[in-house]
């Protein structure tokens, strides 16, 4: 295939064609830089000689071809100004120039970001993240509103098509916020991997999907389907090219690296892309690769064809996502459309778009019982035949050296693996079947990492520590890792999340790249395929920010010359030889059209509370519901939402922990007995509970006036305590104990949002020993939660969104309920409750603690560690607690004698239980925050000690001891030890006259009553069989088409109409839509006609095609 001549590069943008803004920038640049770049004519395939040395992070070059050895590289005036400006303002920035010879990536900046930024709102869903980006930079939606035509985008070697997903998410955010979507046209893609080709065709359906990027310099190239098609390479065909060429020759894992001129796989793919750029000359080119790539050589190639290029190093965790992934990004801008200043604007804009990750890794993980997770578990738990034969002699010696050097001893406390035995005994909440499929090297690595953290007083089973088990222990140290943040995703990564007891599965690794997994069609991809997709993918937040920064850095005059914002310019630059009609990254032909092909019959839909037959019987209604909830709740972590364990259930007589026989055994616990309590079907209970609860409720009695009346009760505390008295808040910020006016005003403003707010039922979740029903308002900022079962029986809790930024008010609102209501078990309604309000006041009490009883080994010394600080350490088995001052502030008196239950499950074996059967059960233990440092963990008194979810506060908390306090260790000279400590009660509960009531909303359904007509002739015309309409009166009014809409009376956010964009992996409605439909789902019933088999029109012809091996559908299966 002979390449035709490359056209001559167009002239640079002249000063006479520039706008006023560009002329000023151009003049400023000329004052500081008088040099002129040279233009070279380059043959079609001949690579441009790169620099002599590599410029990766580990091989920074200190000389260039123009600089003699030992001399510093010269800087022009403009570079000196930019360097001085960066030195003043960007000491802590994360995006540094990869191509800069003097660039050294300062490690102190990463150390300063050791923990997640908990001062920011938690954002984990891609829609929320890109919505926040568009809100922070309104110029994005302004640009979208001024566009005259779609943005033409082409991708090469991008794998998951993260750039297109990012632009689509930006478009949705612009449409929601300003009703002006960012129109994007997908021109073509290029991908060599067959399973990635299938993924791209299934999810994006580009007009052209080429097979090999190295062919794109020619007029024609082969597609993924084998045909030979014309390559779009005329000027104007593409506005932006995004490419992630091969990195195999530059990776740090490659021991035989190659340079560009050696034309390895990486060099060939780069020059294949580069040759296409020379011919098509897109205005913007964005490249992504590993930091060790020869960025200077790439920049010189682009400069030789009149492009201005700059490379920066970006870290994913600085762009919303909890993943340490440093990659280089290069932006090349054609000289004919931009001035020299633009490339520096891009870098500054990109730095301004940084936003640290605030959501932990756990927020991106699916429920352990999600079907996608269960399928991955079966795949990962497959025991390889040669597992026992895997040699690890060299690794074993390295493991032994680490154990000796770090004085960890020889025990295996986490896995208890035995050589030659294909089994591992992980804790009861972990994946034991997965552990049984791992090699001895992996299991021993887990034990070593676990003991490393124990030395730091951290229990990995209660911390979100992510272990890279694909590395040896001397290359991966969890004590240096960041809690809640995933290491760099690679195709071979095995990331074990300690407090989840399982690895991150393939679909979750895609979510950690910011990819909307619920919108994707993932069918035959294996775990290996999914990890390959994510390991080689770009992070959507990073590549999206890079693309947006490039567009925002271009002046409107430049965008007009390109033809994006000016219709006349668009007509001049548009090439009619290659018409592009798709205005979406996924193609308009893939939008489902719902049609009414049959008669639908209207039926009323009841949304209020009812009393189903399931709850009829003796006793009060609340008592019957509570009894059924206790019998249907989870009693083992292995039980799913609607299934019970097939094994007998055991419970610990000391702490009450329950587990099935298959899972029990680790932790050992004090004594197990068979749980003889009756059990009922959780599925039947869930259906009945959905009918017994109202789908829409509202709160009242929390107006600003009623809240202000509570201020006199708190004034006494402010007067009695000196204004200078301060203490450290829960998150480490300094807060005044005395309640000041500003804190009170902001607290009243936030809590008053609950008054008259409308809450819709979102989900009913089955938990251990209880059920939880969740209601949210339109904005999801206000949450109302009903708990059925547990220590408090039936109780309502209300939560509000805390303010942004660190401070005492955020510490008291994040995760903590501001309102609670206890439902009497003798009542006949779940809405009749006695309400109390938590005021933002902390009360201190003085406690006397004395130690006695037999001594036991400390948690660390029981592992046989050889460290001198661990050997022979002992602790007391009993603690006597006496309240000296402030007992009136306590909900429950904490005085009593507590016994140590060191065999039961609690962080660092810290569980103590109060003795005595005449008082409510009370526990003293270490509350370990999943993503916080161990120094912030505190001992607490609480009614229960169960494991908490991410950012969940303990509702049964009574009080907490001072941070840093631990029970005294046993001393030889003293048998009994006494100390006096201060304990803090977080918030003061006061009674309030509040009320919760149901909203009587009229609703109806329209559904088919006869046989359903199924036609395969048009796969994109779906026949409507069930439609819903809800009339919410003044709150919102909807037609039959939307499921719900309207505005909340409290927040400006609106209930948007649901639209089906793409059929997702979970079915027609993605998870976000499922949550929005939660208040309707319990009442819906599928048409009776669906209970029998339906006749498919044309089914015989379809069967004949299948038997003949012919394509069944040109849309879904073109081959």
């Amino acid at each position: 295939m002979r390449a035709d001549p490359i056209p001559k590069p167009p002239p640079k943008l002249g000063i006479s064609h520039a706008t006023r803004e560009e002329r000023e920038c151009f003049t400023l640049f000329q004052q500081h830089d008088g040099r002129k770049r040279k233009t070279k004519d380059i043959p079609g395939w001949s690579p441009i000689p790169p620099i002599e040395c590599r410029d990766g992070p580990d091989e920074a070059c200190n000389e260039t071809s123009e600089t003699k050895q030992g001399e510093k590289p010269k800087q022009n005036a403009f570079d000196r100004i930019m360097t001085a400006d960066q030195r003043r303002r960007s000491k802590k920035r994360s995006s540094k120039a990869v191509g800069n010879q003097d660039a050294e990536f300062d490690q102190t900046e990463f150390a300063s970001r050791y923990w997640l930024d908990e001062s920011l709102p938690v954002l984990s869903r891609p829609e929320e993240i890109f919505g926040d980006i568009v809100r922070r930079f309104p110029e994005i939606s302004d640009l979208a509103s001024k566009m005259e035509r779609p943005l033409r985008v082409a991708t090469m070697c991008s794998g998951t098509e993260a750039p297109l997903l990012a632009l689509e998410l930006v478009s949705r955010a612009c449409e929601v916020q300003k009703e002006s979507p960012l129109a994007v046209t997908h021109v073509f893609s290029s991908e060599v991997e067959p399973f990635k080709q299938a993924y791209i065709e299934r999810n994006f359906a580009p007009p052209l999907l080429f097979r090999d990027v190295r062919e794109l310099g020619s007029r024609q190239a082969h597609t993924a389907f084998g045909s030979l098609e014309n390559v779009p390479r005329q000027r104007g065909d593409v506005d932006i090219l995004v490419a992630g060429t091969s990195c195999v020759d530059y990776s740090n894992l490659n021991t035989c690296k190659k340079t560009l001129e050696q034309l390895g796989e990486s060099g060939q793919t780069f020059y294949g892309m580069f040759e296409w750029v020379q011919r098509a000359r897109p205005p913007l080119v964005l490249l992504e690769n590993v930091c060790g790539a020869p960025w200077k050589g790439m920049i010189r190639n682009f400069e030789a064809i009149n492009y201005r290029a700059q490379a920066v190093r970006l870290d994913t965790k600085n762009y919303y996502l909890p993943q340490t992934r440093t990659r280089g990004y290069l932006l090349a801008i054609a000289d004919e459309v931009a001035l020299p200043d633009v490339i520096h604007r891009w870098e500054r804009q990109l730095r301004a778009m940084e936003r640290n990750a605030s959501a932990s890794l756990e927020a991106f993980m699916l429920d352990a019982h999600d079907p996608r997770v269960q399928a991955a578990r079966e795949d990962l738990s497959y025991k390889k035949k040669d597992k026992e034969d895997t040699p690890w002699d060299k690794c074993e010696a390295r493991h032994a050296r680490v154990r000796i050097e770090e004085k960890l001893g020889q025990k295996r406390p986490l896995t208890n693996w035995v050589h030659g035995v294909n089994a591992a005994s992980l804790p009861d909440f972990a994946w034991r079947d997965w552990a049984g499929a791992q090699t001895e090297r992996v299991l021993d690595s887990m034990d070593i990492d676990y003991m490393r953290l124990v030395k730091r007083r951290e229990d990995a089973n209660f911390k979100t520590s992510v272990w890279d088990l694909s590395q040896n222990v001397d290359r991966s140290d969890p004590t240096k890792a960041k809690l809640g943040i995933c290491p760099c995703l690679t195709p071979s990564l095995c990331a074990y999340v300690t407090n989840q007891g399982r690895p991150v599965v393939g679909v979750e690794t895609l979510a950690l790249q910011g990819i909307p997994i619920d919108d994707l069609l993932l069918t035959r991809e294996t775990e290996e395929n999914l990890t390959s997709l994510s390991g080689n993918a770009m992070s959507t937040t990073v590549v999206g920010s890079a693309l947006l920064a490039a567009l925002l850095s271009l002046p409107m005059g430049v965008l007009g010359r390109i033809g994006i914002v000016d219709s006349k310019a668009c007509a001049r630059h548009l090439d009619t030889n290659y018409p592009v009609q798709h205005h979406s990254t996924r193609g308009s032909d893939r939008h489902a059209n719902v049609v009414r092909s049959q008669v639908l019959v209207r039926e009323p839909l009841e949304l209020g509370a009812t009393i189903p037959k399931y709850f009829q019987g003796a006793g009060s209604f609340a008592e019957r519901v509570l009894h059924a909830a206790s019998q249907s709740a989870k009693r083992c972590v292995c039980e799913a939402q609607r299934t019970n364990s097939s094994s007998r259930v055991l419970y610990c007589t000391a702490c009450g922990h329950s587990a099935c026989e298959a899972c029990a055994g680790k932790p050992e616990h004090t004594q197990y007995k068979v749980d003889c309590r009756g059990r009922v079907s959780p599925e039947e209970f869930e259906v009945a509970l959905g009918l017994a609860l109202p789908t829409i409720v509202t709160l009242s009695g929390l107006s600003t006036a009623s809240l202000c009346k509570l201020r006199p009760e708190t004034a006494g505390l402010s007067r009695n305590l000196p204004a200078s008295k301060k203490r450290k808040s829960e998150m480490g910020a300094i807060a005044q104990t005395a309640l000041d006016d500003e804190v009170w005003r902001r607290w009243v403003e936030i809590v008053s949002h609950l008054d008259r707010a409308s809450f819709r039922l979102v989900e009913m979740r089955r938990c251990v020993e209880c059920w939880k029903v969740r209601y949210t308002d339109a904005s999801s900022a206000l949450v109302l939660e009903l708990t059925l079962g547990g220590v408090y029986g039936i109780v309502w809790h209300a939560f509000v969104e805390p303010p942004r930024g660190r401070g005492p008010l955020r510490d008291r609102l994040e995760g903590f309920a501001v309102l609670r209501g206890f439902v009497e078990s003798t009542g006949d309604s779940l809405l009749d409750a006695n309400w109390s309000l938590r005021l933002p006041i902390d009360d201190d009490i003085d406690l006397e603690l004395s130690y006695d009883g037999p001594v036991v080994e400390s948690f660390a010394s029981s592992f046989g560690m050889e460290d001198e600080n661990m050997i022979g350490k002992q602790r007391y088995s009993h603690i006597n607690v006496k309240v000296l001052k402030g007992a009136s502030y306590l909900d429950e008196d904490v005085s009593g004698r507590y016994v140590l239950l060191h065999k039961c499950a609690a962080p660092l074996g810290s569980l103590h239980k109060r003795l005595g059967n005449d008082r409510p059960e009370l526990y003293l233990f270490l509350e370990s925050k999943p993503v916080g440092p161990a120094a912030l963990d505190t001992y607490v008194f609480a009614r229960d000690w169960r494991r908490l979810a991410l950012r969940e506060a303990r509702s049964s908390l009574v009080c907490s001891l001072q941070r840093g306090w631990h029970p005294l260790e046993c001393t030889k000279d003293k048998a009994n030890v006494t100390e006096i400590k201060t304990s803090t009660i977080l918030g003061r509960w006061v009674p309030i006259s509040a009320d919760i009531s149901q909203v009587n909303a009229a609703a109806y359904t329209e559904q088919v009553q006869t046989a359903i007509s199924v036609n395969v002739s048009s796969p994109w015309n779906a026949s409507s069989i069930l439609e819903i309409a809800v009339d919410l009166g003044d709150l919102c009014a909807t037609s039959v088409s939307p499921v719900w809409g309207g505005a909340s009376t409290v927040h400006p956010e609106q209930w948007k109409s649901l639209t089906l964009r793409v059929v997702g992996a979970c079915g027609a409605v993605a998870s976000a839509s499922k949550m929005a439909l939660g208040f309707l789902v319990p009442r819906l019933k599928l048409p009776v006609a669906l209970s029998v088999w339906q006749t498919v029109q044309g089914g015989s012809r379809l069967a004949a095609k299948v038997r003949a091996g012919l394509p069944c559908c040109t849309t879904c299966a073109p081959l």
Side-chain angles (χ1 to χ4, degrees):
M1 212 177 291
R2 185 175 180 180
D4 51 342
I6 299 175
K8 186 178 180 180
K12 301 178 183 180
L13 177 64
I15 192 68
S16 59
H17 297 89
T19 63
R20 179 180 178 182
E21 178 187 5
E22 293 167 337
R23 286 198 298 270
E24 293 176 355
C25 296
F26 190 75
T27 303
L28 177 64
F29 183 85
Q30 284 185 325
Q31 293 175 358
H32 298 295
D33 192 357
R35 64 170 182 162
K36 296 182 179 179
R37 294 189 299 161
K38 298 179 181 180
T39 304
K40 300 179 181 179
D41 294 327
I42 304 172
W45 182 254
S46 299
I48 304 223
I51 56 174
E52 296 296 327
C53 56
R54 299 176 57 84
D55 58 337
D58 300 328
E59 305 171 72
C61 179
N62 292 324
E63 62 172 339
T64 64
S65 57
E66 296 86 11
T67 305
K68 296 181 180 180
Q69 187 174 5
E71 295 180 0
K72 294 183 178 179
K74 296 181 180 179
Q75 288 184 317
N76 53 50
F78 182 83
D79 290 337
R80 287 195 298 270
I81 292 175
M82 292 299 299
T83 303
D85 182 66
Q86 293 169 3
R87 194 177 294 120
R88 287 193 303 268
R89 297 185 304 165
S90 308
K91 290 185 178 180
K92 293 184 178 181
R93 79 180 194 209
S94 64
S95 58
K96 293 179 180 282
V98 177
N100 187 354
Q101 301 173 30
D102 299 326
E104 292 290 344
F105 298 101
D106 189 7
Q107 296 300 323
T108 58
E109 71 171 286
F110 299 110
S112 64
R113 294 175 178 175
Y114 193 82
W115 312 113
L116 294 170
D117 195 338
E118 297 189 350
S119 65
L120 298 172
V122 178
L123 300 178
S124 58
R125 294 178 54 240
E127 295 81 4
E128 298 173 339
I129 292 174
F130 282 90
D132 185 67
I133 293 176
V134 174
R135 277 191 295 270
R136 290 172 55 206
F137 299 93
E139 54 266 35
I140 298 174
S141 53
D142 293 341
L143 173 62
S145 63
K146 296 176 182 177
M147 291 176 61
E148 292 289 332
R149 66 165 175 83
L151 196 66
R152 302 173 186 140
V153 180
T155 60
M156 297 181 185
C157 310
S158 65
T160 57
E161 298 289 18
L164 298 175
L165 290 170
L167 291 174
E168 181 176 351
L169 291 166
V170 171
S171 180
R172 294 186 195 178
C174 292
E175 184 178 7
V176 169
Q177 297 180 27
K178 294 296 180 67
E179 298 182 353
S180 298
L182 183 72
V184 177
T185 294
H186 189 185
V187 181
F188 70 86
S189 289
S190 175
E191 179 55 55
V192 68
E193 287 283 350
F195 79 91
K196 294 181 181 179
Q197 294 171 353
Y199 162 86
I200 294 173
E201 178 63 26
R202 190 187 317 120
N203 290 280
F204 301 92
L208 292 169
L209 176 56
F210 293 108
R211 180 175 60 190
D212 195 342
V213 66
R214 296 173 296 181
E215 298 180 358
L216 298 184
S218 305
R219 289 185 179 274
Q220 291 184 322
H222 290 92
T223 67
F225 301 102
S227 63
L228 201 61
E229 299 289 344
N230 293 330
V231 178
R233 58 176 189 169
Q234 299 298 320
R235 293 176 187 173
D237 285 347
V238 176
D239 298 321
I240 300 177
L241 169 68
V242 185
T245 55
S246 174
C247 65
V248 63
D249 294 328
Y250 315 136
S251 174
N252 291 330
L253 301 179
N254 189 351
T255 58
C256 301
K257 298 180 180 179
K258 295 182 180 181
T259 57
L260 276 178
E261 71 273 14
Q262 289 178 310
L263 291 181
E265 179 181 328
S266 300
Q268 292 182 33
T269 55
F270 171 80
Y271 283 114
M273 173 276 304
F274 184 72
E275 187 178 0
W276 180 88
V277 171
Q278 292 179 80
R279 302 177 188 279
R281 292 201 65 83
L284 299 174
V285 178
L286 183 65
L287 303 184
E288 182 264 359
N289 214 307
V290 295
C291 296
W295 294 104
K296 290 181 182 178
M298 296 179 184
I299 291 174
R300 290 189 175 213
N301 277 276
F302 280 104
E303 287 179 344
I305 60 172
N306 285 0
Y307 272 82
R308 295 189 179 272
Q310 177 68 23
V312 296
R313 181 180 180 179
L314 305 177
D315 193 342
T316 296
K317 67 173 175 290
N318 299 332
Y319 290 86
Y320 291 87
L321 302 177
Q323 180 196 172
T324 299
R325 186 182 186 86
T326 53
R327 290 293 183 269
Y329 283 81
L330 182 148
L331 178 69
I333 305 179
D335 278 349
E336 61 268 24
V337 298
L339 290 168
D341 163 80
V342 172
I343 199 70
H344 300 288
R345 290 190 197 177
W346 171 70
E347 188 178 353
R348 292 193 295 269
Q349 180 68 40
L350 193 53
R351 292 199 303 270
M353 299 183 75
E354 287 185 352
R355 195 266 197 187
N356 294 345
S358 59
S360 172
L361 164 74
E362 286 182 286
F364 293 80
M365 297 180 69
L366 300 172
D367 185 85
H369 299 288
D370 188 285
R372 291 167 288 184
V373 177
Q374 290 297 311
R377 182 175 184 175
E378 293 180 4
D379 191 4
L380 294 172
S381 300
Y382 173 74
K383 296 179 176 62
K384 298 180 181 179
K385 295 181 180 180
D386 58 346
K387 170 181 175 292
E388 293 80 6
D389 300 331
T390 304
W392 70 297
D393 297 340
K394 295 182 179 180
C395 296
E396 189 174 11
R398 296 162 72 175
H399 285 217
R401 185 180 69 250
V402 170
R403 285 178 176 269
I404 294 173
E405 290 177 353
E406 300 184 20
K407 301 179 180 180
L408 301 178
Q410 301 302 317
K411 289 189 176 182
R412 302 157 182 169
L414 181 63
T415 65
N416 295 112
W417 69 272
V418 179
H419 180 69
V421 179
N422 193 14
S425 178
L426 290 181
D428 54 11
F429 65 88
W431 285 7
R432 293 180 178 174
D433 50 353
W434 168 83
Q438 305 308 305
T439 62
E440 294 180 355
R441 183 201 66 82
V442 171
L443 298 176
D444 199 59
S445 297
M446 295 172 65
D447 287 308
I448 291 176
D449 288 344
Y450 181 76
M451 289 188 290
R452 280 170 163 175
L453 292 176
V454 169
K455 288 182 63 176
R456 294 163 51 100
R457 286 182 177 266
E458 291 184 11
D459 193 336
N461 290 329
F462 295 85
K463 292 286 187 182
T464 311
S465 181
V466 187
W467 299 344
D468 184 0
L469 299 180
S470 62
Q471 299 290 333
N472 278 308
V473 291
D474 52 357
R475 298 192 57 173
S476 177
D477 189 348
T479 62
K480 300 177 182 179
K482 302 168 180 63
L483 292 178
I485 295 181
C486 182
C488 181
L489 294 174
T490 62
S492 61
L493 175 70
C494 179
Y496 179 79
V497 185
T498 55
N499 63 343
Q500 296 294 319
R502 67 176 180 89
V504 180
V505 300
V507 68
E508 293 170 337
T509 60
L510 291 174
L512 284 168
Q513 293 284 37
I515 295 173
I517 56 177
D518 290 325
D519 290 344
L520 296 179
L521 280 170
L522 302 174
T523 55
R524 298 178 62 88
E525 286 83 2
T526 63
E527 274 296 294
E528 184 179 357
N529 293 152
L530 293 176
T531 53
S532 177
L533 274 172
S534 60
N536 294 309
M538 307 177 194
S539 301
T540 58
T541 55
V542 181
V543 69
S545 297
L547 290 172
L548 294 174
L551 292 173
L552 296 180
S553 63
L554 295 176
M556 282 297 170
V558 172
L559 295 175
R561 277 191 294 276
I562 298 174
I564 296 177
V565 297
D566 184 1
S567 58
K568 295 182 180 180
C570 177
R572 288 198 302 269
H573 288 276
L574 181 61
D575 187 352
T576 57
N577 294 328
Y578 183 74
V580 181
Q581 301 176 353
H582 300 285
H583 289 187
S584 170
T585 58
R586 302 205 180 189
S588 58
D589 59 336
R590 295 232 164 179
H591 287 197
N593 300 313
V594 180
V595 297
R596 276 197 176 192
S597 60
Q598 299 174 233
V599 178
L600 304 181
V601 180
R602 177 176 298 188
E603 293 182 356
L605 180 64
E606 178 61 48
L607 297 181
T610 62
I611 301 181
K613 294 182 179 180
Y614 186 87
F615 293 127
Q616 294 179 359
S620 64
F621 175 71
E623 185 179 1
R624 295 194 298 271
V625 172
L626 180 60
H627 180 69
S630 300
Q631 289 187 320
S632 60
K634 285 185 181 181
R635 296 183 187 172
C636 183
V637 292
C638 70
E639 296 182 341
Q641 177 73 10
R642 294 189 173 186
T643 59
N644 291 330
S645 173
S646 57
S647 304
R648 291 191 307 172
V649 176
L650 310 177
Y651 75 97
C652 176
T653 57
C655 68
H657 174 77
S658 61
C660 69
E661 283 184 317
C663 298
K666 191 171 184 180
E668 183 180 353
H669 286 278
T670 303
Q671 183 181 4
Y672 271 123
K673 285 189 176 182
V674 178
D675 191 343
C676 298
R677 293 176 295 173
R679 307 206 72 180
V680 297
S681 168
E683 182 176 5
E684 295 178 0
F685 174 81
E686 183 180 2
V687 173
L689 183 63
L691 299 174
L693 291 172
T695 57
I696 307 173
V697 297
T698 182
L699 275 172
S700 60
L702 297 170
S703 63
T704 302
S706 61
L707 294 176
C708 289
K709 293 179 180 179
L710 300 175
R711 182 59 191 264
E713 298 183 22
T714 65
L717 178 63
S718 299
R719 288 192 298 267
N720 294 337
L721 291 176
S724 60
K725 183 177 181 181
K726 298 182 179 181
R727 65 168 184 82
K728 287 193 174 182
S729 65
E730 190 71 12
M731 296 307 301
I734 300 299
Q736 289 188 4
T737 304
L739 186 66
D740 57 48
D741 294 336
E742 179 61 21
V743 172
W744 175 260
R745 184 192 64 79
R746 293 185 63 195
W747 179 82
V748 170
E749 179 184 358
I750 294 173
V751 176
S752 62
H753 289 164
L754 291 169
D755 192 51
R756 301 295 177 185
S758 178
F759 296 87
R760 290 163 174 79
L761 191 149
V762 172
E763 64 174 342
M764 292 178 288
R765 188 171 70 255
R766 186 188 184 205
C767 305
V768 177
E769 299 296 339
C770 69
W771 282 79
K772 289 193 174 184
V773 183
R774 188 164 171 259
Y775 292 78
T776 65
D777 74 327
S779 64
S780 297
L782 307 178
V783 177
L784 194 61
E785 186 177 81
L786 173 64
T787 303
L788 301 166
V791 296
Y792 290 127
I794 304 178
V795 59
W796 291 88
H797 289 97
F799 303 85
V800 297
E801 186 176 27
R804 298 190 178 188
R806 299 177 184 271
L809 193 55
R810 179 181 179 87
D811 298 341
R812 297 303 167 263
L813 294 179
E814 186 174 26
F816 289 94
V818 297
L819 185 72
R820 71 182 180 188
F822 293 103
V823 178
E824 296 290 343
S825 60
T826 57
D828 290 326
S829 174
L830 299 180
L831 303 182
D832 295 336
N834 299 319
W835 296 93
S836 56
L837 188 70
R838 184 198 293 265
L839 300 181
I841 302 174
D842 297 341
D843 297 310
D844 292 338
I845 61 174
D846 293 335
L847 301 177
E848 180 184 83
L849 306 174
S850 60
Y851 304 83
D852 59 25
V855 296
V856 296
E857 280 187 307
S858 67
F859 185 75
S861 63
S862 64
F863 295 156
M865 293 189 181
E866 299 172 356
D867 190 289
E868 55 273 9
N869 296 323
M870 307 291 177
I871 297 177
K873 296 294 182 180
Q874 295 180 323
R875 49 182 172 169
Y876 295 99
S877 60
H878 291 77
I879 301 178
N880 302 302
V881 179
K882 180 180 180 181
V883 180
L884 301 179
K885 181 181 178 182
S888 60
Y889 296 133
L890 292 168
D891 282 349
E892 175 69 32
D893 187 7
V894 298
S895 299
R897 182 173 175 83
Y898 292 78
V899 61
L900 175 64
L901 306 177
H902 62 281
K903 294 183 179 181
C904 295
L908 300 178
S910 60
L911 186 62
H912 295 73
K913 180 183 179 182
R914 184 168 65 180
L915 299 176
N917 298 326
D918 56 336
R919 304 172 70 181
E921 289 186 352
L922 197 64
Y923 298 92
L924 169 65
F925 57 94
L926 179 66
E927 188 77 283
S928 182
K929 296 184 179 300
V931 295
L936 296 182
D937 296 341
T938 58
Y939 272 78
V940 299
F941 291 92
R943 293 285 306 277
D944 76 279
W945 58 271
R946 64 180 179 85
R947 300 170 62 91
L948 297 180
L950 178 68
R951 292 187 183 250
E952 178 188 5
R954 194 171 298 278
S955 59
S956 64
L957 179 66
V958 178
C959 63
S960 61
L961 289 160
Q962 292 176 335
R963 185 182 300 118
W965 177 86
H966 290 270
L968 294 177
E969 294 179 348
C970 180
T971 58
K972 297 180 179 179
D973 53 341
K974 295 183 180 180
N976 298 318
V977 180
T978 302
E979 60 178 341
I980 297 178
K981 293 294 180 180
T982 301
S983 180
T984 303
I985 306 172
L986 300 178
R988 180 188 296 179
W989 290 101
V990 296
I992 189 173
S993 178
D995 184 58
I996 183 173
S997 58
Q998 68 178 9
V999 176
N1000 296 317
Y1004 62 85
T1005 63
E1006 293 186 340
Q1007 55 183 291
V1008 296
Q1009 298 290 336
T1010 58
I1012 300 173
S1013 175
V1014 182
N1015 193 342
V1016 298
S1017 60
S1018 179
W1020 296 109
N1021 286 334
S1023 179
S1024 175
I1025 60 173
L1026 175 64
E1027 297 182 359
I1028 311 137
V1030 183
D1031 182 11
L1032 300 181
D1034 296 335
L1035 290 179
C1036 51
T1038 65
S1039 61
V1040 175
S1041 298
V1043 180
W1044 45 253
S1048 172
T1049 57
V1050 177
H1051 293 278
E1053 289 83 1
Q1054 293 185 347
W1055 292 83
K1056 295 294 182 181
S1057 301
L1058 291 177
T1059 56
L1060 181 61
R1061 294 181 179 270
V1062 177
V1063 177
C1066 295
V1069 182
S1071 61
S1073 301
K1074 286 182 178 180
M1075 294 182 65
L1077 289 166
F1079 74 105
L1080 292 174
V1081 171
R1083 307 304 173 93
L1084 295 179
K1085 295 182 179 180
L1086 290 177
V1088 180
L1090 288 181
S1091 60
V1092 297
W1093 289 98
Q1094 307 296 316
T1095 301
V1096 178
Q1097 298 179 7
S1100 57
R1101 295 194 303 272
L1102 182 64
K1105 289 183 178 180
V1106 173
R1107 288 192 296 268
L1110 298 175
C1112 303
C1113 177
T1114 58
T1115 302
C1116 304
L1119 291 182

